[in-house]
Amino acid sequence: MQNILACVDASSYAPSVCTLAAWVSRKLDLPVELLHVVQRKDTSGARHDLSGAIGLGVKSRLLEELTQLDAMEARLQIERGRLLLNGCAESLEEMNAHGVTQLHRHGDIVETILEREQEARLVIMGKRGTSQEFATDHIGSTLERVVRASDRPVLIAPNSTSTPEEDMMRAVVLAYDGSPAAARALERCANSPLLKDLPVTIVIATSGRKLTQDKAEQMMREARVALKGRDVTALIEEGSAEEVIANAVKATPGAILLMGAFGHSPLRSLIVGSTTTAMVRSNSVPTLLVR
């Protein structure tokens, strides 16, 4: 049976992850797996190990003490993870999420998420983790690596811990550029039980791309056909995609941004930039990325 994979850590994004997980769980009638991973460390690097530069007897005592410290740190991390997962599970149950289970792992965070997503319909993560929580000019490196490698839709939680659920997901802003990834986002918007009862604003930006007004209007007509019967607002604006999409999100109370994910290779975005990365970095609303 599929589930919702909610990835939490000790950052301030965890409450938003739980709020979104409860909302998705109820909408899709799926259980939630809460996942917390303690990142595996390079042991010698983590210790700043200088034991090779000292005498044999002292080295043996030092290694024994370092091993004991590692064991104590591991126990502490396990206890912290247990408390975090218990708190998140209580929060989810209070929000009537279905079938909440907890999983605590040691290892590589990205590898573990990719392993667990095989049973998931959707992955939910915070925009940044504990190590990059206050780096507001960047998205978390773990998030970026997961989105590039994942085959599942990824719902990114903003840092809005005081925002109640009813104010977070009341409308969809669909960023549409006619690309294959955007087409899949459109298909999901049309057919997913998660989004099908929400009003939709379709946004097309025309500046900086080889996109004429006629072509943009044709794309908009095709998108509206796919969303036939829905409450749709069409928006074609001249300007950069980042600017036009951001303005549409700001003008839509309770918006969830839906867009195609960036490609598997980070090289392309390094060379030509990435609208996806820019929007995830600057947005303060939930963002659903579809590959």
Side-chain angles (χ1 to χ4, degrees), residues 116-137:
R116 298 307 304 170
E117 76 165 19
Q118 299 306 310
E119 300 176 10
R121 186 182 298 185
L122 182 74
V123 178
I124 305 177
M125 299 178 63
K127 186 187 297 187
R128 301 179 186 90
T130 49
S131 61
Q132 297 175 309
E133 186 171 1
F134 302 106
T136 55
D137 290 336

Side-chain angles (χ1 to χ4, degrees), residues 5 7 35 37 39 108-118 120 122-127 139-156 261-264 266 289 291:
L5 181 61
C7 308
L35 174 65
V37 183
Q39 177 66 46
D108 183 89
I109 295 175
V110 176
E111 289 179 0
T112 304
I113 292 174
L114 295 179
E115 173 199 333
R116 298 307 304 170
E117 76 165 19
Q118 299 306 310
L122 182 74
V123 178
I124 305 177
M125 299 178 63
K127 186 187 297 187
I139 63 174
S141 58
T142 300
L143 171 65
E144 185 165 358
R145 290 170 60 200
V146 169
V147 171
R148 290 192 188 284
S150 175
D151 291 325
R152 298 291 189 270
V154 178
L155 180 57
I156 302 169
F262 32 48
H264 285 282
L289 298 181
R291 189 177 296 286

Side-chain angles (χ1 to χ4, degrees), residues 29 36 43 64 70 78 103 110 131 139 148 163 179 192 200 205 213 217 235-236 254 271:
D29 195 20
H36 175 251
T43 54
E64 183 179 347
D70 280 349
I78 290 172
L103 182 62
V110 176
S131 61
I139 63 174
R148 290 192 188 284
T163 304
S179 66
S192 171
V200 183
Q213 184 68 22
E217 292 176 355
L235 182 63
I236 300 175
I271 296 173

Side-chain angles (χ1 to χ4, degrees), residues 70-86:
D70 280 349
M72 293 173 60
E73 182 181 357
R75 289 195 294 271
L76 183 60
Q77 288 177 338
I78 290 172
E79 183 61 16
R80 285 175 176 164
R82 187 185 65 80
L83 292 173
L84 173 67
L85 288 172
N86 285 343

Side-chain angles (χ1 to χ4, degrees), residues 50-94:
L50 303 176
S51 57
I54 58 180
L56 183 60
V58 177
K59 180 178 178 179
S60 296
R61 290 195 298 274
L62 177 59
L63 288 177
E64 183 179 347
E65 291 177 6
L66 290 173
T67 300
Q68 292 174 352
L69 288 174
D70 280 349
M72 293 173 60
E73 182 181 357
R75 289 195 294 271
L76 183 60
Q77 288 177 338
I78 290 172
E79 183 61 16
R80 285 175 176 164
R82 187 185 65 80
L83 292 173
L84 173 67
L85 288 172
N86 285 343
C88 290
E90 289 179 7
S91 176
L92 281 164
E93 288 166 357
E94 289 173 357

